[in-house]
Amino acid sequence: AQSVAQPEDQVNVAEGNPLTVKCTYSVSGNPYLFWYVQYPNRGLQFLLKYITGDNLVKGSYGFEAEFNKSQTSFHLKKPSALVSDSALYFCAVRRGNFNKFYFGSGTKLNVKP
Amino acid sequence: GAGVSQSPSNKVTEKGKDVELRCDPISGHTALYWYRQSLGQGLEFLIYFQGNSAPDKSGLPSDRFSAERTGGSVSTLTIQRTQQEDSAVYLCASSLDGRTQETQYFGPGTRLLVL
């Protein structure tokens, strides 16, 4: 079965500090991995994706994520958090030739001034 | 350009009534998806349309749920005889051609409350 796990319901970090939001996946075959962000009362916004190639992917708003095949992880990172980064973050995976996205349960990021 | 739009933004209904939720995908996108987001939960896949192909309905939770896509563009999700557990945010997304590496672009969602 395909699945995505976001082990932390909530992450708290101080503004200016680095942040990490964790994601691990289970999928047969090659995974396509995505991160989305959801601000209150808004739809999901695309941040970045890993399809193939360089394991370090850079995306919107200074975020990046590293694909680690051996650990089946795709953690989202940012070197210096902003208060405006506070939102709900979702990791998602698809595999080749299958239509479905499998989403994690989401991680609420709180960045405090 | 315009993004994915959904209407209504909010819907309050009584248990047992039918509701229709509408999605307008990004112009030119052939793939369209419906998801459900319950409070404190991740996104649950409901249904997928790709061009003129038969839709993937494998995520629909019961036969009270149905969806159609007319003319390869606008889609309507219908919930018959609504139940309180149907209360959730219903999100629509579209992508250019449905390939697995394509990014999905989401609408703002319809917040459904069944009393």
Side-chain angles (χ1 to χ4, degrees):
Chain A
Q2 331 301 321
S3 65
V4 177
Q6 292 181 242
E8 301 154 318
D9 291 336
Q10 185 166 300
V11 170
N12 298 312
V13 8
E15 187 173 33
N17 283 359
L19 70 87
T20 299
V21 182
K22 295 180 180 177
C23 172
T24 59
Y25 65 90
S26 173
V27 67
S28 55
N30 292 323
Y32 300 125
L33 295 152
F34 298 75
W35 275 102
Y36 285 84
V37 60
Q38 186 177 36
Y39 297 100
N41 300 315
R42 302 275 295 276
L44 274 70
Q45 296 179 30
F46 169 75
L47 276 180
L48 51 81
K49 65 182 177 183
Y50 171 81
I51 303 301
T52 187
D54 194 348
N55 289 343
L56 184 63
V57 179
K58 294 185 183 296
S60 306
Y61 312 121
F63 284 92
E64 58 188 29
E66 185 166 13
F67 170 62
N68 187 318
K69 188 173 184 178
S70 63
Q71 296 185 3
T72 62
S73 68
F74 190 57
H75 301 331
L76 181 70
K77 299 183 179 184
K78 187 172 182 180
S80 179
L82 300 173
V83 173
S84 58
D85 293 330
S86 298
L88 190 58
Y89 290 80
F90 289 96
C91 181
V93 66
R94 296 177 87 175
R95 63 186 179 107
N97 299 323
F98 284 82
N99 305 323
K100 289 184 183 180
F101 259 88
Y102 295 90
F103 279 86
S105 55
T107 299
K108 185 177 181 183
L109 175 64
N110 295 314
V111 182
K112 299 187 178 180
Chain B
V4 177
S5 61
Q6 293 185 245
S7 62
S9 53
N10 291 280
K11 177 71 176 179
V12 180
T13 190
E14 294 178 348
K15 178 181 174 181
K17 296 283 181 71
D18 297 351
V19 294
E20 285 189 354
L21 312 180
R22 177 188 168 105
C23 172
D24 282 88
I26 293 173
S27 178
H29 280 193
T30 63
L32 186 147
Y33 310 77
W34 283 98
Y35 295 88
R36 178 169 67 176
Q37 184 179 20
S38 302
L39 187 64
Q41 302 291 317
L43 274 72
E44 176 187 7
F45 167 82
L46 296 177
I47 188 169
Y48 162 72
F49 295 90
Q50 172 56 50
N52 296 320
S53 302
D56 177 354
K57 303 180 182 179
S58 59
L60 294 178
S62 77
D63 59 7
R64 296 187 295 105
F65 288 73
S66 63
E68 61 179 24
R69 189 178 185 193
T70 54
S73 180
V74 172
S75 177
T76 302
L77 177 69
T78 301
I79 309 173
Q80 296 178 309
R81 306 181 301 283
T82 52
Q83 304 294 314
Q84 289 181 333
E85 59 263 28
D86 298 334
S87 298
V89 177
Y90 289 82
L91 293 167
C92 175
S94 70
S95 66
L96 186 61
D97 61 12
R99 288 179 299 159
T100 45
Q101 60 266 46
E102 279 290 323
T103 300
Q104 294 186 10
Y105 296 90
F106 284 80
T110 294
R111 189 174 301 270
L112 175 66
L113 178 61
V114 182
L115 300 176

